Amino acid sequence: YSPAGGGAGSGKRAAPAGAGALQPAKLSRAELYKPPTSEELSQLKETEDLFHSSLLRLQIEELLKEVTLKETKKKKIDAFLYEINSLLSAIPETPETELTDQAWLPEGVKVPFLQVPFSVKGRFRFLSPAELKVVGSYLLGTCIKPEINVDVAVIMPREIFQDKDNLNQRYHRKRALYLAHIAQHFSKEKLFGSVKFAYMNSNHLKPILLLRPQGSKDEKMVTVRLHACPAPGLFKPSRFYPSKNNVRTAWFMEQSTPKEGAPEPPTPHYNNSILCDTVLLSHLHFLSSAAADFPGMKDGLALLKVWLNQRQLSKGLGCFSGFLVSMLVAYLLMKRKIVKMMSGYQVLRSTLQFLATTDLSVMGISLAKDVDASLPVLDDFHQAFEVVFVDPSGLVNLCADMTASKYHQVQFEAKRSMEILDDRTVDGFQVLLMTTKPMLRAFDHVFHLKHVSKLQGTCKKMQLLNELMDRGGNYVAAALPFVVSLLTRGLARRVLLVTHSLPQISEWPIDAEPPKHKDVGPLTFGLLFVPEFAAGTLEKGPQADHPEALDFRTFWGEKSELRRFQDGSICEAVVWQADTICQKRLIPEQIVRHLLKLHMDIPESSICYTGALLESVIRTGQEASGTGEEAMVSVICSYDDLSRKLWNLKGLPLTVTAVQGVHPALRYTDVFPPIPMKPIYSFHTRIRTKHLLLPSEEKPCPAYIAPLKIVCHMEGSGQWPQDKEAIKRIKAAFHLQLAELLQQQHQLVCRPAVTHTDVYKDGYVFRLQVAYHREPLILKEVVTPEGMLKYQDTEESRQLELETLHLPYLTSSLHGLQQQHPVFGSTCRLAKRWVSAQLLSDNISEECVDLLVAFLFLHPAPFTPPSSPQVGFLRFLDLLATFDWKNNPLIVNLNAGLTDADLTEIKNKFVAARSQLPIMFIATPKDRWSSMWTQERPSVQILQRLLVLASESLRALEEQLMDPLNSQDVKMVFRPPLDFYDVLIHLNPNQIPRHLEGVDRPLKSFSRGVVKNSTAVKILFPVVDYDPVQCYLQELREMCCRSWSDQVAVVPGRLWVEMKGWRLNQGRALALGCLAQPLFSTQDAFSDLALFFYDKHGGEVIAVLWKPLSFQPQPFKVASMKGRMVTTLNNELVCIPNVEAILEDFEVLGEGLVKSIEARTEKWTI
């Protein structure tokens, strides 16, 4: 459901077609200074008291316009109803027959009722309806789009009923036959576009007839629902009290004689279903008197219905329907919790407040005013139903089909919504009324019961015969409350909420058999975790000698065992097997499967648990090794130890004041955390004189070893020079000395360089970079022609500040976030893996993705912060796809460093300076105005591509995860569509160092010349940060190549790298730093002609996209002939790209690395 075409509710008309960005309105001077009217004054007063901002009021008014019925539509609907009325009175009568003799019904219509058991006493004939009444929300004016339903009560005449029609479904079957006869006649009429059956709120006992007008547009306009009802006064109400029986066991079990002396069980749900039909009209009168002179009620109900729709609570068996919420508002009016002066927004707030604080499963409420001593009391209802809300007659429970768990979900949502409305930093309107909350994104783990027919076995095992009789044989409705309460008990301290989807049965044509109980399809359950306890491996029970111990043993079955605890007590306990963090997250799955098998006879094969299906894409190596959280922890331990050693180094002229990690692994967000490695010498060539290893030509390229970057801040001192070149030299000296001292004092293998020192420790390579706090300032110094010294940002100073100030701050903030939310890191890793799999990792920075994910944890409204990586990832895709990047900054309030005033200021400045700011603007407490992580990238086109990919991926994923009966290959959204690109460069897998990180793990892998080892001390330094594909990409993007079409002198290729084995020439340590300095000007690179895309995690393809402008013919100039050839166009010499030569160059440049080049010429012409 989404008003205004799914976008922001008010954004629909706000922007002119071309502009997109919002513009301020222009008013004349007279309009600006006109005094406010009294009505405006009272509105302003209300806005000030109630709404956080006048914007909220305007948004709500706009939404109400969107969802309410227009007058012209009403006229059409009224005309349609009038015609139905005249047609009904013309339907012919039928002779009386036995109920079981249904031969009089023609072929084209089937009775819309499951007649099990078939034989039943009683006689039936069709007589014209006594009268027709419109009931429900249409008359009250509270029905809302997109689905306009008009409920019409067809009063069946008294003559067609006999004495004991309240028994054994006789009334229900007469009702179904009555509707079938009407349907058969209506199906021949031209007036109707469709005539179908449906179950009212998916309740099998209550079929209704759906009529839609002719014409494709009108058919969508309205659905008229015919409810067949008994003539007033037909039944004695006392027969239908919750404690009375109206379905006989002998009849239901098809036994010839009832058992002697066996008492009949009460059938409250059955009784309630008949009573509902008798009170339709009185409910209408009750609601219309409540809504009289109360315009706020109409608006409030529209808002509440939107609120329920967005949370998927308003449809299905046991739903919180629009009718129910109308009755609730009327109850609050009766109890003076709401007064008729209130606006729609106040009605919404008061109702949510009441729901949040009242548990109807413990203390029910009743609309009956005068207490008649003979009527059943609330306790009678509580014994029969899980949730109690009694109607004005004192007989009907309006929440009869609702499970306690569903009500608790409504209560939880109401509490959360009240918190959001009271939080000034959140756009409450957008979050509460415009954001859908599908189960997959709202709950941490979701699982499906694939075959609901298995619940028949559950009913048998739990001996639920009475419930089955009461529910007309509907084993899903009978077993569901028991399944949920079992799970709630088993997961008690681990979850805030266990909830289930509402069983729904769609409408069906009148000539089809009515749907069976199993046609509700798979049932879905959602678990919302308490993060502290969800992954605990121990269930501690009572002491062995306590009477409760037996109950505990019965509940957990053979999993329960006696254990002695540290305090000396011997208790019953259940210990769940889980070694890695990712297995611990799945302990709830073990519990669910175990309990459902033990108590409900539901086999494991019928349960499809989709809590962690996505995590396979961030898992490397064996299944047992988990998803890398442990590897990340050991990296951080090693880093902590190294930083302690740096603090305590003796012999440095200046002390180390701070050691800060900046590599993503040090904030838990590295997609594939580094693994300790030691090089195998036989895979490398050794340069004896320098104790260096180089990749060997004959062998596959060595495994990728990432340097983990660490910034060492040295203390300030008067000795530091004030010249930028001198500072660089001093830093180089520090790098040398750090290496020397670490080697002497801690026996660590180090390799110093001018800009850093690499340290090999515990099998990891740490890259230390010395920083001096005044250096960025010195880099900003510029001397003007007049000899004045002034400071201004330079590219170099910006880069240095980024590396030594902003990145360490970001890393430590996100490291802290991981401590609060244990799945933050894994969510980031899934998000980055997806971005990389779409070949876009070079176009959006890692830090930017980390901040987007941090936003989901810090500002989760309307959800709770994610407690599983999968739900975090789904919300990440949703955020990318739905956030309005053009008109809003994304504010990530790290460490709660921004106040309300700051947030407003950022938004205002953003709107004022929109055109100068990057397309994706992310503000943090330390970076409010520049959005430094998105300054250069993504570009508008790349962001647009990301949004399309995100919304498609989200749609495909949610479809797969919600469809347990089909294959759930969730890796599908991690396989990029390649038909979008012009040229594909296929690579040779043995030269791809991270080949094993591919989304689809390769069948055969290569030995990469390293062994996993963290203890080696005396070694030659491994090859670090060497990825041939990245070197090749850099060449493609930057290098001039041999002159295309023989125009310019050839670049000496051997000076660079002999591509075949990527062997280095003249002993230059080039591969280790991946092309330190280009030798020629870079402006004439391929990058003018094409964009290159690659998945750095083991991708086997580089995708190339030609830039459209480069294919436009250019006038012939000798200076700009690189990669072009001359041709004539309209008798003029012009240059066009020489594509064949360029593709040949791609191949020559990548000899040994490139396997083949696939040009998709159908995509472009020259």
Side-chain angles (χ1 to χ4, degrees), residues 422-479:
D422 292 335
D423 181 352
R424 288 178 171 275
T425 61
V426 178
D427 175 359
F429 173 79
Q430 190 64 34
V431 162
L432 286 192
L433 300 172
M434 287 286 144
T435 312
T436 48
K437 289 190 74 170
M439 281 185 93
L440 275 176
R441 266 178 269 152
F443 294 95
D444 296 314
H445 278 189
V446 167
F447 67 93
H448 308 280
L449 177 55
K450 283 199 278 198
H451 317 108
V452 287
S453 51
K454 295 282 185 262
L455 291 172
Q456 285 168 287
T458 303
C459 292
K460 232 187 219 115
K461 174 142 189 173
M462 304 214 35
Q463 298 168 338
L464 301 180
L465 173 65
N466 297 355
E467 281 77 5
L468 278 174
M469 278 168 50
D470 187 16
R471 305 261 193 177
N474 185 349
Y475 49 83
V476 180

Side-chain angles (χ1 to χ4, degrees), residues 396-417:
V396 180
N397 179 13
L398 301 171
C399 295
D401 292 327
M402 193 180 292
T403 60
S405 130
K406 192 45 76 176
Y407 182 76
H408 290 143
Q409 186 190 349
V410 173
Q411 209 182 355
F412 176 83
E413 288 290 356
K415 273 186 196 145
R416 186 82 192 94
S417 299

